[in-house]
Amino acid sequence: MTEQKLTSAELTDGVEFDANASHRITLLSATRLRLVGFFFDLDKCFLLPTAVPGLKRLTKQYKAHPEAHLLVVGHTDTSGRDAYNLTLSLERADAVAAYLTDDASKWQAFFGADKPEEKRWGTLEVQYMLSVLPEDGPPFFAGEPNGEKDAATTQAIKDYQKKSDLAVDGIAGPDTQAALIRDYMALDGTTLPDGTSLTTHGCGENFPIDDTGDDVQDPDNRRVEIFFFDGPIEPPPPGKTSARGSTEYPRWLAQVEETVDVGTGGVTGDVLRLRIHADPDQVIHIDDQFRLFDDDGFEQILDMPEDADEDSEFVDLTFTNVPTDSVFSLEVLCPDDEDYLLLDHVPFGDISAQSADAGDVETIDPQELEPGPDDDDDTSGGEVVAGLEPDEDEQDSADGDEEDAADGADEDAADGDEAVA
């Protein structure tokens, strides 16, 4: 029997088989969580406070893949030497892995005198940690972290030492460093369970998102990716780093069926997929548009899908980079008629988590949406059931179509804020 391990893309492209032989095909698939944004200072592998909120998403991903083998891959942009960037990318992958496993000793090693000066942690990193501790009160250090050991920093260290039952001397020595790191790692609440299969790898500048050419600082290319493999990592990493032209990383990437981008303030956005049904007596107008928006400035407008026509019973919409901590309204923009709402101030979690129950969606004007019938299906996802165009008579009576449900959300791509090389 011939055994082959293929990605869905390779199967789609077609594979030749010997008709006289037996074959076993293993479909390779993976999920990827990508850290994009200002997560590291120049030359450093310290994970900045801006990254902490976003890493909470790891908990959700791991719960969805509790048996997954995790591969943490670091990347840099093209500024700096190739060999230097390979080492730096691995250090950043190791730092993220240590954070996820609460391995304080690996972090504390970077305070050591044996580290190169440009990579060594010190007062700046202490200030960063004190600027977000304690989690439930005013920070010990309220200034802007700048690496200067001034009076405010000394007092912040003393205050932390006193609250942590440490010797109070205003000096961030080994005991204070260790305590700070432990408390800082505890902020995210995403510690992976003991025994999690976790591998780190560095790709340096060899696999950029943007082909910028050499010696260019580019925020999108500075990233850390966490791959969730359903089985063993295939193909296995070629050592701790990948040289230019290595084939393993492209193969990992080809297996990805879902990507979640995490930015500096948390998840930069989810994919929100909605299926909207037309009532039997209504017609889809191909010139209509769909506007998803919140009260904080988010807005995304989609045209009617190309595959929709007047005979379509529903349309599928995919909104990307949708902030998960907001509430949303969905409006139909009608060039030849009055615009109307399908959703009115519905939290993202209600849209993405409800199965098929529109009971929590408010009735709205000018087309009131009455709650649809309950559905006992507990599967994730659902559908928004609502007319795509209000009937004129129904508009006059302010009585509209029904909304039944909201479809599930998957995690996909969005670019983060600027990072450093």
Side-chain angles (χ1 to χ4, degrees), residues 128-140:
Y128 278 133
M129 290 186 280
L130 290 172
S131 71
V132 292
L133 292 172
E135 191 170 14
D136 58 353
F140 292 105

Side-chain angles (χ1 to χ4, degrees), residues 218-230:
D218 183 86
D220 289 336
N221 287 336
R222 308 177 199 119
R223 65 199 191 277
V224 172
E225 298 168 311
I226 303 170
F227 291 86
F228 294 73
F229 290 91
D230 293 332

Side-chain angles (χ1 to χ4, degrees), residues 30-87:
T31 299
R32 176 179 57 164
L33 186 147
R34 184 168 58 177
L35 309 182
V36 288
F38 187 64
F39 288 154
F40 303 99
D41 276 332
L42 183 66
D43 293 324
K44 299 285 187 73
C45 64
F46 178 82
L47 197 61
L48 296 173
T50 49
V52 174
L55 286 177
K56 293 181 179 180
R57 190 48 176 271
L58 185 72
T59 299
K60 179 178 179 180
Q61 288 300 116
Y62 190 78
K63 286 181 178 179
H65 307 273
E67 304 298 326
H69 296 257
L70 272 58
L71 175 64
V72 183
V73 181
H75 300 266
T76 69
D77 61 24
T78 60
S79 62
R81 304 182 305 276
D82 287 1
Y84 182 89
N85 284 338
L86 272 178
T87 301

Side-chain angles (χ1 to χ4, degrees), residues 4-23:
Q4 287 185 270
K5 298 178 179 180
L6 303 171
T7 67
S8 57
E10 290 169 331
L11 284 175
T12 300
D13 291 341
V15 180
E16 293 185 359
F17 296 105
D18 182 352
N20 298 316
S22 298
H23 303 271

Side-chain angles (χ1 to χ4, degrees), residues 80-261:
R81 304 182 305 276
D82 287 1
Y84 182 89
N85 284 338
L86 272 178
T87 301
L88 179 60
S89 67
L90 179 59
E91 288 173 345
R92 289 175 172 172
D94 286 340
V96 170
Y99 190 88
L100 297 175
T101 57
D102 289 350
D103 190 344
S105 62
K106 284 189 177 180
W107 270 39
Q108 191 170 2
F110 277 91
F111 282 98
D114 60 327
K115 296 296 180 182
E117 183 177 357
E118 69 273 12
K119 293 186 176 183
R120 190 183 311 142
W121 299 0
T123 301
L124 180 61
E125 285 69 31
V126 169
Q127 290 173 333
Y128 278 133
M129 290 186 280
L130 290 172
S131 71
V132 292
L133 292 172
E135 191 170 14
D136 58 353
F140 292 105
F141 182 73
E144 184 72 24
N146 55 18
E148 297 181 6
K149 184 66 182 298
D150 51 21
T153 301
T154 299
Q155 186 59 52
I157 294 173
K158 287 182 177 180
D159 292 342
Y160 174 78
Q161 290 171 331
K162 182 177 181 180
K163 186 170 183 178
S164 304
D165 294 327
L166 298 168
V168 179
D169 58 7
I171 299 173
D175 290 344
T176 300
Q177 294 168 7
L180 272 172
I181 292 171
R182 287 194 299 268
D183 289 343
Y184 187 65
M185 287 181 167
L187 282 173
D188 67 322
T190 61
T191 300
L192 296 173
D194 292 339
T196 299
S197 175
L198 187 64
T199 302
T200 59
H201 191 74
C203 284
E205 62 181 66
N206 298 322
F207 298 98
I209 295 176
D210 298 331
D211 188 8
T212 62
D214 195 27
D215 200 24
V216 175
Q217 296 186 10
D218 183 86
D220 289 336
N221 287 336
R222 308 177 199 119
R223 65 199 191 277
V224 172
E225 298 168 311
I226 303 170
F227 291 86
F228 294 73
F229 290 91
D230 293 332
I233 300 170
E234 293 284 353
K240 295 300 291 182
T241 59
S242 284
R244 193 181 304 275
S246 295
T247 60
E248 288 79 5
Y249 177 78
R251 287 277 290 167
W252 300 334
L253 202 59
Q255 299 175 46
V256 172
E257 297 184 351
E258 177 185 1
T259 294
V260 179
D261 275 347

